[in-house]
């Protein structure tokens, strides 16, 4: 606790009255904030958070024993490293009193997707225009106004925005008044400039010394405004919003732009009254918000029911923002999204986006209760927000779309994200100490989100979902409008369930990693189960194997599920006489299982029985593949054991099982890409023998009667068949691609466009054909009339080329904001990171342009971390890893230390895997070629 970089506690904010006047031409905003304070002790100093804010004046009025003292700050100093402004006053403010701090200030509408920032879009004439929006989590409210920017320092907020009359202005709450704005001179503007310079020359100088760079930036733009202010005066309006409930600064938000909206109301069944729900988007695209709107109205009623608490605000707005670093942000009552995370075109969007949009909406709306109504006390409890919203977000999607089989999807997609990262030494516990705000963005990762959600799913399955949710209701009631910690949740669940939940859950949240359970058949229908930490490097040292996890075993047998629990290093359990058993029924628990080969062979026979066998739940089959695939990476099993097991799935019908197989085949083929061509060809032949028959059976056409999962399987099967050089699939893909490019939209269903772009580029006969294909896909990306997800699909596909010239063009595009938005460069990096033909050039380009890239993403460090991860993690040779380590040796990597360590370790995992199994796989390939 004492290590945390926090503000002094001599004063506490209770209420902010904030007025902001953004200028979308000069990118300057002017502001005034009046903060009601409780003065806790006698003091002459107030320290609060600011970042790139210039304070003009700070006036303090303190009231004590009916006497009023009003004084201006005698000095305003800045500590840029700590993001703090220090206001010093002549006379002491007495403790146990109230005060009002009135600050006038100026800031910049930056282009860094952080704080109060500007985002670009093209108008009907194709001209670039700007809108203003916010992103405050974790610590960027301080970029918009001086404040106490810590989650536990909750306050209420009155917001007033002064904006051009023709624009829409939104904030967390509903509008209570809107009127023409007349500049009365009370708020900072050009008229005050002369006065300010003379009046506070001393402070001006100090400010310049502290942040000279930022001063110059503002001065030029700000001055320009005043020179032209005598020209056409834009009509402005003043929009006031209702007072917010008690909330943290990071959840405040405002958006200003030419938005259109569609609206619906919830049924009101569980909220007591209908909730006004809107989707806002730029002109021409708002109808693509219908799917999100339908999901939102259903989710708001569902959450009110399961949380036992009505949605606490009068409205919810969801806004699509063109430039947005994350996927979405749960600002209370005003959720902001990347376009691609909110907008879905029923006619021309790919089906995969239907689920991701529904989930993102449910995740963000879950936060309105879990995160906003009750907020983590400090950032080390971030997982409480994100892990819970991930789990309950999927719970809501499952409620709204039961036919989507969401929990098998979770086992197939979300759990692997967590377990792959957590199998590295450079992982971190779910609950991680965060002292410096600069470290916070690094823990918004698969551990906080997906391991957090996996652990919650394990606990809720063990307690029962009903008991778990009853405990959550208890927690929300006790802490609403306040802050809470992980222990507060465990306490509420313990009180509800009558067991000490913290006793075993603390092992999961405070310890790094997870176990592999090794099963030994000892005879007499008994198995011995031993747990040890699982590392994908396969080189666990005894000193690292100290945690004894609590593991619900859920042993599946042909008759029933045995609810055993492993609580010691090693324990014995009974199994049926048939010798048929599988640990982790339904894959609800967080561990891998290493079975003896005899047990694997018995389970493989059971797989062949399909729905009549013991493994009728697809989650169990997915889990079996996931364990076999990952244990071959770490060396507990041979890679050939996975390849043999895969062949048992030849008659499989379930999409998720095929998707898990696809993931492991892609991984093996990617890591083996530099091995002899005959070996890679054998791996692709096996993949083709499994997927091509499914592709041929399902075909290319989508019938209205096909269900959601059949359509996903069709896309997956055609992708794998085509990428494994199935002649029929490749020929059809090329035929349909050229028909589509020539204007026949029917030739290529939106669901198949991404896969087909990938197949045709991968199977191009020569460089001339590849260039022609690439240029055609580039044209699709550049077509701004297309839905955003279709354009991103094309952008992603462009990275799948062999031509080094095209790879270089693609890389240069990523640095040109007029071609690729900063936020979308993530697609470029990911595409190149998984392309074995582009890896070396990508790394060369990254290392030679490191300073440019670092500077470009210096304010969007999660994007820079993603670039580092993509550029490094795919390598498979120790020599290359040494070269990369040497490159970073003299760099200050503090801001992206985690993704760098994780990427280097992932590359080492690949290198060790190849070193260990390349000969075995080569022998297998020879036998299979014979």
């Amino acid at each position: 606790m004492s290590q945390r970089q926090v503000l002094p506690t001599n004063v506490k904010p209770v209420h902010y009255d904030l007025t902001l006047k953004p200028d979308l031409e000069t990118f300057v905003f002017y502001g005034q904030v009046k903060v009601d304070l409780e003065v806790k002790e006698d003091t002459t100093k107030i320290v609060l958070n600011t970042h790139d804010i210039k304070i003009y004046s700070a006036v303090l009025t303190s009231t004590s024993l009916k006497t009023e003292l009003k004084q201006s700050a005698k000095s305003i100093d800045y500590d840029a490293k700590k993001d703090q402004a220090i206001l010093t006053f002549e006379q002491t403010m007495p403790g146990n009193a109230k005060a009002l701090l009135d600050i006038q200030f100026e800031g910049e509408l930056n282009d860094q997707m952080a704080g109060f920032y500007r985002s670009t879009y093209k108008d009907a004439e194709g001209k670039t225009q700007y809108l203003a929006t916010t992103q405050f989590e974790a610590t960027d409210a301080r970029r918009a106004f001086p404040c106490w920017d810590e989650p536990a320092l909750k306050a209420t907020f009155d917001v007033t925005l002064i904006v051009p009359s023709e624009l829409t202005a939104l904030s967390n709450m509903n509008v209570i008044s809107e009127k023409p704005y007349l500049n009365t001179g009370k708020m900072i503007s050009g008229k005050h400039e002369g006065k300010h310079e003379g009046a506070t020359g001393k402070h001006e100088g100090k400010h310049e010394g502290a942040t000279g760079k930022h001063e110059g930036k503002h001065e030029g733009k700000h001055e320009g405004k005043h020179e032209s202010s005598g020209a056409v005066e834009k009509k402005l309006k003043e929009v006031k919003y209702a007072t917010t409930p008690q909330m943290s600064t990071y959840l405040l938000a405002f958006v200003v732009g030419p938005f259109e909206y569609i609206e619906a109301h919830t049924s009101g069944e569980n909220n007591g009254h209908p909730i006004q729900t809107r989707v806002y988007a730029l002109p021409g695209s708002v109808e693509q918000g219908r799917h999100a709107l339908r999901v939102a109205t259903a989710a708001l009623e569902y959450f009110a029911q399961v949380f036992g608490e009505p949605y606490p605000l009068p409205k919810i707005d969801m806004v699509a923002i063109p430039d947005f670093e994350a996927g979405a942000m749960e600002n209370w009552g005003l959720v902001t999204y990347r376009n691609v995370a909110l907008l879905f075109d029923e006619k021309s969007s790919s089906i995969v986006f239907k689920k991701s949009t529904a989930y993102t909406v449910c995740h963000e709306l879950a936060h309105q209760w879990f995160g906003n109504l009750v907020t983590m006390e400090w950032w080390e409890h971030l997982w409480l927000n994100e892990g819970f919203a991930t789990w309950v977000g999927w719970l809501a999607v499952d409620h709204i779309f039961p036919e989507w089989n969401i929990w098998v999807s979770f086992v197939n997609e979300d759990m692997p994200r967590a377990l792959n990262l957590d199998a590295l030494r450079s992982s971190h516990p779910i609950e991680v100490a965060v002292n410096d705000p600069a470290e916070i963005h690094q823990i918004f990762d698969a551990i906080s989100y997906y391991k957090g959600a996996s652990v919650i799913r394990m606990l809720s399955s063990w307690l029962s979902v009903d008991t778990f949710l009853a405990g959550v209701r208890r927690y929300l009631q006790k802490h609403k409008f306040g802050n809470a910690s992980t222990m507060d949740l465990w306490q509420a669940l313990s009180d509800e369930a009558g067991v000490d939940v913290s006793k075993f859950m603390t092992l999961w949240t405070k310890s790094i990693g997870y176990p592999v359970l090794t099963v030994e058949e000892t005879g007499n229908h008994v198995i011995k189960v031993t747990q040890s930490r699982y590392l994908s490097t396969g080189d666990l040292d005894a000193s690292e194997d100290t945690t004894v996890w609590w593991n619900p075993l859920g042993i599946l047998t042909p008759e029933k599920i045995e609810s055993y629990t492993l609580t010691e290093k090693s324990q014995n359990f009974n199994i049926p006489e048939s010798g048929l058993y599988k640990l982790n029924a339904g894959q609800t628990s967080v561990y891998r299982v290493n079975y003896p080969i005899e047990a694997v062979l018995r389970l493989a026979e059971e797989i062949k029985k399909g729905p009549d066998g013991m493994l009728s739940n697809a989650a169990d089959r997915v889990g079996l593949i996931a364990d076999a695939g990952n244990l071959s990476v770490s060396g507990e099993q041979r890679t050939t054991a996975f390849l043999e097991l895969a062949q048992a799935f030849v008659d499989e019908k379930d999409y998720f099982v095929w998707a898990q197989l696809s993931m492991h085949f892609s991984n093996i083929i990617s890591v083996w890409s530099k091995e002899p061509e005959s070996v890679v060809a054998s791996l692709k032949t096996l993949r083709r023998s499994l997927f091509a028959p499914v592709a041929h059976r399902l075909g290319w056409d989508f019938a209205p009667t096909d269900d959601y999962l059949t359509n996903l399987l069709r896309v997956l099967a055609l992708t794998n068949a085509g990428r494994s050089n199935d002649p029929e699939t490749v020929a059809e893909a090329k035929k349909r691609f050229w028909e589509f490019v020539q204007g026949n939209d029917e030739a290529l269903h939106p669901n198949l466009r991404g896969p087909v772009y990938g197949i045709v580029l991968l199977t191009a006969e020569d460089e001339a054909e590849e260039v022609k294909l690439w240029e055609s896909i580039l044209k699709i990306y550049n077509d701004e009339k297309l839905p955003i997800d279709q354009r991103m699909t094309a952008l992603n596909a462009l990275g799948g080329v062999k031509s080094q010239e095209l790879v270089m063009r693609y890389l240069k595009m990523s640095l040109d904001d007029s071609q690729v938005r900063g936020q979308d460069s993530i697609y470029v990096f990911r595409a190149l990171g998984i392309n074995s033909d582009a890896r070396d050039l990508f790394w060369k380009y990254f290392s030679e342009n490191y300073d440019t890239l670092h500077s470009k993403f210096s304010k969007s460090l999660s994007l820079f971390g993603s670039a580092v991860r993509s550029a490094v993690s795919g390598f498979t040779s120790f020599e290359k890893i040494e070269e990369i380590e040497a490159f970073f040796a003299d760099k200050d990597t503090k801001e992206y230390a985690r993704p760098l360590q994780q990427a280097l370790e992932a590359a080492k995992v690949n290198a060790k895997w190849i070193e260990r199994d390349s000969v075995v796989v080569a022998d297998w390939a020879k036998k299979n070629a014979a």
Side-chain angles (χ1 to χ4, degrees), residues 21 53 82 107 133 149 165 335 421 581 601 644 723 799 837:
K21 184 182 170 196
I53 292 283
K82 289 185 176 174
T133 186
D149 201 9
S165 300
V335 183
L421 179 52
Y581 63 93
L601 293 171
E644 299 292 341
R723 295 187 75 83
D837 292 310

Side-chain angles (χ1 to χ4, degrees), residues 8 78 293 391 411 432 514 594 673 874-875:
Y78 298 83
L293 189 62
W391 176 78
V411 168
V432 61
Y514 61 91
N594 186 8
S673 61
F875 285 110

Side-chain angles (χ1 to χ4, degrees), residues 130 175 444 634:
Y130 296 90
V175 173
F444 280 83
S634 55

Side-chain angles (χ1 to χ4, degrees), residues 52-322:
D52 281 354
I53 292 283
K54 186 200 295 191
I55 295 176
Y56 285 126
S57 63
V59 178
L60 184 71
T61 308
S62 49
T63 313
S64 171
L65 299 173
K66 296 185 181 175
T67 59
E68 191 174 276
L69 173 64
K70 188 171 183 177
Q71 54 180 328
S72 293
K74 67 173 184 178
S75 68
I76 301 172
D77 299 300
Y78 298 83
D79 183 334
K81 274 192 176 170
K82 289 185 176 174
D83 281 354
Q84 290 176 355
I86 302 102
L87 313 177
T88 307
F89 297 89
E90 193 72 53
Q91 297 183 57
T92 302
M93 287 172 284
N96 298 317
K98 296 192 168 159
L100 178 71
L101 178 63
D102 185 343
I103 300 177
Q104 298 206 6
F105 60 93
E106 167 191 314
E108 183 195 6
L109 280 175
N110 68 70
D111 59 357
Q112 306 288 334
M113 296 182 283
F116 196 13
Y117 71 91
R118 64 186 189 262
S119 174
T120 62
Y121 64 95
K122 296 272 174 64
D123 64 15
E125 279 79 54
K127 286 185 187 157
T128 297
Q129 302 289 358
Y130 296 90
L131 59 90
T133 186
T134 55
Q135 172 58 43
F136 289 167
E137 190 178 27
T139 55
D140 284 322
R142 62 192 66 177
R143 288 173 179 270
F145 63 105
C147 58
W148 282 257
D149 201 9
E150 293 171 11
L153 293 174
K154 286 191 167 185
T156 52
F157 294 81
D158 282 328
V159 173
T160 303
L161 296 176
I162 297 165
V163 300
S165 300
E166 72 280 8
L167 298 182
T168 298
L170 304 171
S171 190
N172 305 76
M173 298 298 287
N174 50 302
V175 173
I176 52 171
S177 77
E178 188 171 308
K179 61 185 182 188
Y181 171 70
L182 303 168
N183 189 349
T184 59
K186 284 180 186 169
M187 204 178 131
I188 284 292
S189 71
K191 290 175 188 172
H192 285 243
E193 181 70 3
K195 178 183 166 197
H196 152 74
E197 274 180 24
T200 53
K202 180 180 172 194
H203 139 223
E204 183 73 12
K206 285 195 175 177
H207 182 95
E208 213 166 302
T211 54
K213 183 179 165 201
H214 138 221
E215 174 72 7
K217 206 165 33 174
H218 278 328
E219 218 165 90
K221 286 178 178 162
H222 176 142
E223 288 303 324
K225 174 178 191 266
H226 302 312
E227 279 169 31
S228 62
S229 61
V232 181
E233 192 67 43
K234 275 206 167 187
K235 283 189 178 170
L236 300 176
K237 63 182 176 184
E238 178 182 280
V239 188
K240 283 184 184 290
Y241 304 88
T243 305
T244 69
Q246 284 262 110
M247 59 185 275
S248 303
T249 47
Y250 80 87
L251 294 166
L252 197 66
F254 1 98
V255 176
V256 181
F259 293 99
E260 297 174 341
Y261 70 85
I262 50 174
E263 178 181 291
H265 287 78
T266 69
S267 66
E269 186 187 343
N270 301 309
N271 279 297
H273 64 94
I275 306 294
Q276 176 190 291
T277 310
R278 289 178 176 177
V279 171
Y280 284 85
L282 288 168
S285 57
V286 74
E287 278 301 322
Q288 294 170 33
R290 289 280 166 203
H291 171 56
L293 189 62
R294 281 193 294 271
V295 171
T297 51
L300 285 167
E301 290 298 325
Y302 178 68
F303 288 139
Q305 181 193 347
V306 298
F307 294 147
E309 178 74 28
Y311 175 69
L313 304 188
K315 60 89 178 175
I316 182 87
D317 295 328
M318 305 191 295
V319 191
I321 304 292

Side-chain angles (χ1 to χ4, degrees), residues 574-731:
N574 294 324
I575 55 166
E577 286 184 25
S578 64
L580 258 184
Y581 63 93
K582 178 196 170 284
L583 273 62
N584 202 3
Q587 291 308 108
T588 55
S589 295
V590 185
Y591 50 76
R592 301 222 177 273
V593 184
N594 186 8
Y595 295 98
I597 191 67
E598 310 81 56
V600 175
L601 293 171
R602 286 193 292 270
L603 289 168
E605 286 307 308
E606 207 60 23
I607 288 161
K608 292 173 188 171
K609 294 179 188 172
D612 302 325
M614 183 181 80
L615 302 174
S616 56
N617 181 348
D620 287 312
R621 304 197 297 282
V622 168
L624 212 55
I625 297 164
D627 285 348
N630 284 284
L631 292 169
S632 65
V633 174
S634 55
E636 270 95 341
Q637 291 180 14
R638 286 294 191 197
T639 304
T640 46
F642 169 79
L643 298 172
E644 299 292 341
L645 177 67
Q647 292 168 68
F649 289 91
V650 66
D651 295 320
E652 180 58 58
K653 298 288 184 288
D654 188 89
Y655 161 72
F656 296 109
V657 178
W658 282 112
Q660 189 67 207
L661 280 167
S662 168
M663 203 185 304
H664 290 282
F665 270 113
S666 294
N667 190 29
I668 294 169
I669 289 167
S670 172
V671 173
W672 255 256
S673 61
K674 299 297 183 197
E675 293 300 293
E677 216 168 292
S678 59
V679 177
V680 179
S682 281
L683 291 167
K684 285 190 175 181
T685 300
L686 173 58
R687 181 168 69 173
R688 184 169 67 244
S689 73
L690 290 166
F691 283 93
V694 184
H696 300 161
R697 173 169 62 83
L698 292 175
W700 287 78
D701 298 317
F702 292 78
T705 50
D706 287 343
D707 65 23
Y708 172 77
L709 294 174
T710 300
N711 286 333
L712 285 177
L713 180 56
R714 173 180 288 113
V715 173
L716 182 81
L718 287 166
T719 304
N720 278 277
R723 295 187 75 83
S724 305
N725 306 320
D726 175 50
E728 187 183 317
T729 307
V730 171

Side-chain angles (χ1 to χ4, degrees), residues 2 10 134 251 323 334 377 449 456 506 509 561 851 873:
S2 58
N10 57 339
T134 55
L251 294 166
D323 297 283
L334 179 60
E377 171 266 330
Y449 284 74
I456 282 169
T506 302
T509 58
I561 297 171
D851 291 335
S873 60

Side-chain angles (χ1 to χ4, degrees), residues 300-362:
L300 285 167
E301 290 298 325
Y302 178 68
F303 288 139
Q305 181 193 347
V306 298
F307 294 147
E309 178 74 28
Y311 175 69
L313 304 188
K315 60 89 178 175
I316 182 87
D317 295 328
M318 305 191 295
V319 191
I321 304 292
D323 297 283
F324 198 84
E325 183 181 359
M329 175 61 209
E330 68 266 21
N331 316 299
W332 215 356
L334 179 60
V335 183
T336 44
Y337 295 80
R338 266 186 188 225
N339 284 346
V340 76
L342 185 66
L343 304 179
F344 174 83
D345 188 317
E346 294 285 354
K347 288 196 185 83
S348 54
S349 288
S350 168
I351 194 170
V352 295
F353 290 96
K354 190 163 192 175
K355 185 173 78 173
S356 61
T357 301
Y359 163 67
T360 306
V361 167
C362 289

